[in-house]
Amino acid sequence: MTRALLSLGSNLGDRLGHLRSAVASLGDSVLLVSGVYETPPWGDEDQPAYLNAVVLAADPAAAPADWLERARRAEAQAGRTRDPARRFGPRTLDVDVITVWDADDEPVVSDDPELTLPHPRAHLRAFVLRPWIDVQPYGRLPGHGWLTDLLTTGPAAQDALAVRPRPDLAIESTA
């Protein structure tokens, strides 16, 4: 497996610092980093706003499970704790594996409960789709279609109105 798109989000503590640390933890695998966006919470509205971004990364030796392990390691380094009673609750850092492409540039499809690919709710989340367009303007979410269509006329269109670019904030890529 060679490429992965990872979604980053933080709404506790040093939000930008947590996003930056996640990118830094990916090291030389980072190809592109999106702009930063501020978004209202999704799924549980009783919490602070998020900063969100996406990372396009590549590693010829990485399998999908490796990307999940890297995501979890970045979350742990940021002090992420999981509250089972609050699935979409606040967090220092959330790193989701959105999609993975194999060595032939084909999307990996998996129904493994540990890592479902593509991410089963990515098409609903403007906070994933909008930054993704930064790194792949002509991108497609496997099984759902063009990113621009999903963001403008799909189920995420209403939420897209609340996704606010933060050009005053930047994540420096190590690539």
Side-chain angles (χ1 to χ4, degrees), residues 90-109:
R91 56 214 49 196
T92 54
L93 181 65
D94 185 38
V95 181
D96 287 333
V97 180
I98 303 301
T99 193
V100 175
W101 295 272
D102 67 18
D104 295 322
D105 206 32
E106 293 296 322
V108 175
V109 176

Side-chain angles (χ1 to χ4, degrees), residues 18-79:
H18 293 311
L19 298 184
R20 286 177 174 160
S21 71
V23 172
S25 76
L26 294 167
D28 292 338
S29 69
V30 174
L31 297 175
L32 296 168
V33 180
S34 74
V36 176
Y37 294 82
E38 191 156 25
T39 63
W42 191 92
D44 179 344
E45 296 178 9
D46 187 23
Q47 58 183 305
Y50 277 82
L51 289 183
N52 293 98
V54 302
V55 174
L56 183 62
D59 182 344
D66 298 320
W67 293 114
L68 180 61
E69 173 56 33
R70 291 174 190 187
R72 288 182 174 165
R73 190 176 12 194
E75 290 175 345
Q77 289 171 350

